[in-house]
Structure formats: C-alpha cells, structure tokens
Amino acid sequence: MSSKMVEFTVNGKKLLAFEGLNLLKYLLDNGYNIPHYCYHDSLGADGNCRMCMVEIKGKKRPQIACDTLIKEGLEVNTNTPTIKRLREEILQMQLRNHPVDCPVCDKAGECYLQNYYMDYGLYKEGKHKKQKIKKSKNIEFGRNVVYDEERCILCKRCVRFFANITKTNELGVIKRANHSTISTAPNQKLQSQYAMNIVDLCPVGALLSSDFKFKQRVWFLQSSPSICHGCTKNCNITIDYSSTKFQAERIYRYKARRNEDVNGYFICDEGRLSYKEYHTNRVTQIEYKNSIIDFKEAISKIGIEIFIHKDIVILASPNLYIEELESIIKWSKKLNARLYSPLECYKDKEFADNWLKEELRVANAYGVMALEIDTSTPDISSDTLLINFDHKLAQDINTLHRIDFITHSINSQGLILPLASWVQSSRHLINSSGIKQYAPKTLVANKPILTVTEWIEAIGGDI
C-alpha cells in the first residue's frame, strides 16, 4: 500500500483511499455490510469462501473484494441483483452439509452463518433433498478447544492463525472435497499457550471453548470493555457477564478486544481463563478475629489501631489503579506511615514469552514505579501495624497487628475488610510500554463493596 491517495467509486459514491489498500478491509472499516468468512484483519485474505463478491466495472464476472486492491478510477457495486443472487447460491452451498443444530450450538447468536442467512437466505426448500454428509462431532483438540467437523465451513482462519501468528503450524486441512476437515497432526494435541484465540476467530460453531460450552446463552450476556490484570502487558479484553433476578452478576468469559498498540486481536489462554479467580474465595463481610462485625465497629477499630501504633507499614498492591495508589500515598503521608509495593513476589520467568506474556504477573507495576513507590520488601517488627491493601506479600507476613483490605481470603487473624475487585472499580493502568489505559467499572454487587478510595474516605474523618 502506497501513501498516494486515489479516487474510486462504491455504489455510485466517490471516495478517497490509499492506493493498494485491500478493498474488503476498506469497505468493512467504513460501514459497508459485506459478508465474509475467511478474511480477518490479522490474517489477511485467503479467498476461499467467495462470500465477499462485488461487481467491478470492466471485469467480465464478479470479483472477490478480499483479493482486490484499490486503485485510481476503480468502480465497485456491492448490492446489485447479480451479487445478491451469488451470495444466496454460495450460502446455500455452504449450508448444504451444515447441521441444523443451532438450538444446541454455543455459537448461536454470534454465528456468521445465522446472520448471513437472515440477509441472503433462499427461504425456500431446495429441489434436491440430498442426504447431508455426516462427520464427527465434539473432537477434543486440546487446550480447551473442541471441534465440530459438521459445522466447519473450512474458512481456514484457525489454520492460518497457527501458521502466520504463532508460527507453530498445529492445524491443517486433511482429506478432499466434501470430506475435507481441519485436524491436528496424528495423535497430537494443541500445545500453544494462545490456542483458545481460534475460538474467537471461528465465524461459526465449529470451534468452541470447552470452558464456556453450555454455560450460558450469549443473548443473556452483557459485555463490557476492560483490561486484563494477568501481567504488565495489560491486554485489552471484553468481559462477558450476566445477572439474573436476586443473584449477583457473574462473569462467564473474557474475550480478546482489539488494540493495535497493545495486544492486537489476541490474548493468552491463561489471561482468558483468569476470570475464574474473581468468583473464588471472595471476601464479602467484615471480620475481626474470625467474627463478623459491622461497619461502624470496624471504622472504630481502625482508628484505635492507628492511634496506638507509632510504626505503620502500608502495603499497596501493584494491581491497584493509578488513582487508588495516589489515594494511598496521600493517606500514608497523613499517617506518617511507610508505604511499599514490593514487586519481586510477582515475578514469574516461566510465564513470560516474547509476545503477550510478561514476567511481572501484575497489572500496574509500571504505575507503581511512575508514582515512585518503594518496591523493596519492608522490615516489620512485632510492634509494627501492617495495613495491607490486597498485596500478595501480606500472606507471608506473620503479625497480629494488621488491617487487611482484601478481595480474596487470606490467612489473617487481624481486621479483615472486603475490597472491591478491579472489575468493580475503574481508573487507569500503565503497561510495560508506558501506555496509560482506562478500565471502566464492569460489575456492581448486590451489596456494594467499597473501593480503596472509598475506604480511605470513610476512615479519614475518624482519625
């Protein structure tokens, strides 16, 4: 693609674009509804589904838009009667051996075939009642990926992902004609730490996540943009969650969300499955020495503990947002306390790779460093009051004088106060590339849990 701008025409409208730009990409990016399966921005064109046909002036027959480059004077029509008929016939061919099992398919509601049938379906019984070819179903590919041969339309997005993105070539097309199918090498399973991305890439119900399968219907889910807290890469994700009457909202899955500056279109499998941690061992009640107490009594005990201790150490989790850390900094100065956010305990060299997985398994380590918070391990004596804001290191510190603001249960005999998780709060993170990103609030508990800033504000007037 050159930097030269050229004029061309789509459906009689004159437009400007860079010369050599892929026509299908331009049309999709600018709101034109062009059906397609095999094309994907991260994978490029493959030209095998033929659904993106358009008419181009000067060509004897319709052309596929994914294999057409924009040039000066190009004249394109995307919705002529001929194109509509072609799309109907191509769709009918794709559906000939496709099973009608939408009611039990997890892709129902997100399936390209369903959407295109509503736009281009023939809506009448075909002349030939040929028996559909039966193929295998529920094939375990490994890495939580399940394959249904009957639903596959052979767009080869999954094959190209392993060939072009991970470079591991773990899938291929075997057999011929109507019997063609996607397969791993004989007696092999998927090994890539990014394998579950092919579930997102699959436009139909051929590749499904065994983790999500049969858990929830997509039309009952709500989606919210967010940032993965699995490491300092800060991959952009979409959180899919649902709430039913009289029940708290529940997260069902994380999906990759496009951000060309951070993670592109993909996330690692471990980050994708980390949603499970949110619902495990959550702290929802105030406790003191294993007994439940009320909010007023807790505030009183915090005031007393702070008053009687001269040496106070505050641990701040590097998973907290920038604004939450700033609140802790101000509070620590008010208390004349020592503030730390050790990072060493979050390092995991085995997790890191040269793509989207980084050694520091925490979201805002670079935010901590930007705020110049001490990242060393503090000295804590028997007379020190430890105030812990959900830091991992606090689990290994044995002291009776402690106040723990935590999201998930730890072994503590002090005052335990429930803290809103990162999905119940919002603010900014800084990733390893120095990019500052905003993560909006996603979930609201039936009984709201206070954030760091709200706790500090609640305590402040009583000190």
Side-chain angles (χ1 to χ4, degrees):
M1 183 176 70
S2 73
S3 58
K4 179 184 176 183
M5 297 293 287
V6 295
E7 186 177 81
F8 68 109
T9 304
V10 176
N11 298 337
K13 182 179 180 180
K14 291 187 177 180
L15 302 166
L16 288 173
F18 290 110
E19 185 178 36
L21 179 65
N22 185 286
L23 176 61
L24 180 58
K25 175 176 173 56
Y26 177 89
L27 294 174
L28 295 175
D29 289 347
N30 287 275
Y32 289 88
N33 184 22
I34 308 297
H36 64 286
Y37 297 110
C38 58
Y39 177 83
H40 190 275
D41 273 354
S42 67
L43 304 172
D46 200 45
N48 63 47
C49 77
R50 322 307 287 180
M51 278 295 285
C52 64
M53 289 280 195
V54 294
E55 284 191 340
I56 297 177
K57 186 176 180 179
K59 299 289 185 179
K60 292 182 178 180
R61 59 185 65 87
Q63 305 292 309
I64 51 176
C66 68
D67 195 39
T68 300
L69 302 181
I70 293 174
K71 62 181 181 179
E72 183 70 44
L74 183 71
E75 293 188 28
V76 179
N77 279 296
T78 68
N79 54 9
T80 64
T82 298
I83 292 300
K84 186 177 185 298
R85 178 181 56 80
L86 278 173
R87 289 172 181 169
E88 289 175 353
E89 292 175 353
I90 293 168
L91 184 64
Q92 188 74 356
M93 182 181 68
Q94 291 166 343
L95 289 169
R96 181 173 293 276
N97 290 312
H98 197 87
V100 188
D101 56 2
C102 301
V104 296
C105 180
D106 265 351
K107 201 73 172 185
E110 299 177 312
C111 176
Y112 285 31
L113 267 176
Q114 285 182 333
N115 295 339
Y116 296 155
Y117 184 78
M118 296 306 295
D119 292 336
Y120 304 105
L122 292 178
Y123 309 120
K124 58 185 178 182
E125 185 178 358
K127 294 180 181 179
H128 303 288
K129 296 184 179 180
K130 182 180 178 180
Q131 182 68 33
K132 291 179 182 290
I133 293 176
K134 301 295 183 182
K135 295 184 180 181
S136 299
K137 303 178 81 69
N138 201 37
I139 301 170
E140 293 285 348
F141 272 177
R143 301 293 303 177
N144 292 299
V145 178
V146 180
Y147 179 56
D148 188 315
E149 285 186 345
E150 287 188 338
R151 298 174 186 164
C152 184
I153 60 170
L154 293 172
C155 68
K156 298 198 295 183
R157 282 187 179 186
C158 54
V159 176
R160 289 181 288 144
F161 173 77
F162 288 116
N164 303 335
I165 307 299
T166 67
K167 312 290 187 183
T168 52
N169 295 293
E170 296 175 59
L171 289 178
V173 180
I174 62 172
K175 302 180 184 177
R176 295 188 178 188
N178 282 346
H179 298 281
S180 294
T181 185
I182 303 295
S183 178
T184 59
N187 301 316
Q188 296 293 315
K189 298 288 186 182
L190 297 179
Q191 300 295 324
S192 172
Q193 302 294 312
Y194 297 89
M196 292 182 73
N197 283 291
I198 63 176
V199 174
D200 290 349
L201 286 173
C202 183
V204 294
L207 293 169
L208 298 173
S209 163
S210 59
D211 177 72
F212 179 74
K213 196 175 182 183
F214 303 141
K215 298 291 174 61
Q216 185 58 280
R217 282 300 194 183
V218 297
W219 50 82
F220 293 135
L221 294 175
Q222 294 175 274
S223 297
S224 175
S226 194
I227 307 294
C228 179
H229 276 51
C231 73
T232 50
K233 188 69 177 179
N234 291 181
C235 292
N236 286 220
I237 60 172
T238 297
I239 299 177
D240 285 348
Y241 63 97
S242 177
S243 61
T244 54
K245 196 172 184 179
F246 306 122
Q247 292 185 2
E249 292 173 332
R250 184 172 186 85
I251 297 174
Y252 283 91
R253 64 183 179 182
Y254 292 161
K255 296 181 71 176
R257 179 167 59 92
R258 179 184 181 184
N259 186 327
E260 295 290 357
D261 296 325
V262 181
N263 57 299
Y265 290 84
F266 309 113
I267 56 173
C268 70
D269 289 355
E270 192 157 342
R272 184 184 295 272
L273 296 173
S274 63
Y275 77 91
K276 298 178 181 180
E277 298 170 4
Y278 173 80
H279 298 292
T280 306
N281 298 321
R282 284 301 309 275
V283 175
T284 58
Q285 300 182 99
I286 301 173
E287 295 183 24
Y288 181 66
K289 294 184 177 179
N290 297 320
S291 297
I292 297 173
I293 63 174
D294 62 24
F295 179 80
K296 188 175 180 180
E297 186 178 356
I299 295 296
S300 177
K301 287 186 179 296
I302 293 171
I304 293 170
E305 289 289 337
I306 290 173
F307 180 76
I308 64 176
H309 286 90
K310 293 182 179 179
D311 184 29
I312 301 174
V313 168
I314 297 178
L315 287 181
S317 169
N319 263 323
L320 299 177
Y321 294 115
I322 291 286
E323 291 81 356
E324 292 176 321
L325 292 171
E326 288 174 339
S327 295
I328 294 173
I329 291 173
K330 291 178 182 178
W331 196 48
S332 66
K333 290 178 179 178
K334 182 177 180 180
L335 301 181
N336 197 27
R338 293 181 285 143
L339 174 59
Y340 297 87
S341 184
L343 298 178
E344 190 64 32
C345 59
Y346 290 98
K347 289 184 178 179
D348 184 355
K349 293 182 179 179
E350 293 184 0
F351 175 78
D353 62 16
N354 59 1
W355 189 16
L356 301 180
K357 297 165 67 178
E358 301 197 341
E359 181 180 80
L360 274 169
R361 301 290 305 277
V362 69
N364 203 21
Y366 288 86
V368 167
M369 290 184 272
L371 293 171
E372 299 182 345
I373 298 174
D374 193 336
T375 59
S376 63
T377 302
D379 294 324
I380 297 177
S381 68
S382 58
D383 295 324
T384 301
L385 171 63
L386 173 65
I387 302 177
N388 165 40
F389 284 98
D390 212 31
H391 199 287
K392 181 179 180 180
L393 186 64
Q395 301 179 70
D396 303 321
I397 298 176
N398 186 18
T399 178
L400 294 176
H401 308 295
R402 62 189 298 160
I403 300 170
D404 289 291
F405 297 89
I406 51 178
T407 58
H408 295 75
S409 298
I410 64 171
N411 184 21
S412 172
Q413 297 299 315
L415 179 60
I416 296 176
L417 303 144
L419 188 66
S421 176
W422 59 272
V423 296
Q424 296 172 312
S425 184
S426 64
R427 287 300 184 266
H428 293 88
L429 299 168
I430 298 176
N431 78 350
S432 55
S433 300
I435 299 173
K436 190 175 184 179
Q437 300 182 88
Y438 177 77
K441 185 175 183 177
T442 300
L443 302 186
V444 179
N446 286 340
K447 294 182 179 179
I449 299 175
L450 298 185
T451 65
V452 169
T453 304
E454 290 169 341
W455 268 117
I456 291 175
E457 289 174 351
I459 296 165
D462 290 57
I463 296 174

